[in-house]
Amino acid sequence: MTKKRKKKRTNYVNNARLREVLIDYNNMNIHDNGEWCDGYKRRLKNKFSNNKIAEDKFDISKNFILQKKEKICNLQKEYENMSTEEKKSFDKKLSSLKEELSVYVIDIIKGRINSFMLHSTLQNTDDIMDITQDAYISVFKYLNRYNSNIKTSAFAYITQLATNSIIFSLNQIKERERICVTGIDYIENINTIAEPSSAENLRKNSFEMEML
């Protein structure tokens, strides 16, 4: 009997290449002004004070922030001193890196969405699109926290960022649906209170208030 060949994955992400692109992107990201560093450092100290992270991890992260701030400052100065042509070349390379990185990020997000089986559990397809977009924005927001000095998998790092965003979005959807159901419940059972009011009038009044 002839064995069936497995279909080749079209969304395979090469971790070595992903790490290389991620490091290059972070090193060239002129749009990162480092404003997040101080807040990150405060939260880090907080965690250490509350014994939520070990001393060795605290020291590694603290040194990473110090080095990151210095790199950002040096990059900003270098960019300012570039000629117009040099800036064009720099921007083109950065754009190319982001484009490649975006492909990897989207593939990872799609993989997580499939793992959560959201296409079968969520009835509203718009929710899946929103979840994907929010995850993409969230991943790119926190990419600059990736510490290339330690042997952390770039794939695992981005996967965790995407997972955190998806879980947050799902919790928001659950809360939205809970509030919606509670609201309907209240309207349908409004006549059980001491001074009953027509549910139809209540809907009408709510609509009129929204139009004001």
Side-chain angles (χ1 to χ4, degrees), residues 36-142:
W36 57 273
C37 291
D38 290 335
Y40 185 93
K41 194 175 178 181
R42 282 195 301 271
R43 288 191 294 275
L44 193 66
K45 285 182 178 178
N46 237 7
K47 286 182 179 180
F48 180 66
S49 299
N50 294 321
N51 297 317
K52 290 184 178 179
I53 56 172
E55 187 173 357
D56 57 341
K57 187 176 179 181
F58 172 72
D59 289 337
I60 291 170
S61 299
K62 185 176 67 176
N63 290 332
F64 164 70
I65 290 296
L66 292 173
Q67 291 171 10
K68 187 72 176 178
K69 288 181 76 173
E70 186 178 355
K71 283 182 180 179
I72 290 171
C73 184
N74 291 337
L75 179 62
Q76 297 285 343
K77 289 177 181 177
E78 286 174 17
Y79 189 80
E80 284 176 10
N81 293 327
M82 287 181 189
S83 66
T84 303
E85 288 303 314
E86 285 174 333
K87 284 181 179 178
K88 282 182 180 179
S89 177
F90 182 95
D91 293 342
K92 186 177 179 180
K93 187 177 179 181
L94 178 60
S95 178
S96 177
L97 285 169
K98 185 174 182 180
E99 189 176 334
E100 184 179 353
L101 191 55
S102 293
V103 173
Y104 300 142
V105 169
I106 290 170
D107 280 344
I108 291 172
I109 292 169
K110 285 180 178 178
R112 296 310 296 151
I113 285 173
N114 289 335
S115 297
F116 277 93
M117 296 184 291
L118 298 187
H119 289 285
S120 58
T121 57
L122 290 179
Q123 296 178 350
N124 190 347
T125 54
D126 287 342
D127 283 337
I128 296 176
M129 291 175 64
D130 290 341
I131 287 170
T132 303
Q133 186 177 16
D134 289 344
Y136 178 86
I137 293 169
S138 181
V139 167
F140 267 88
K141 180 180 178 180
Y142 293 104

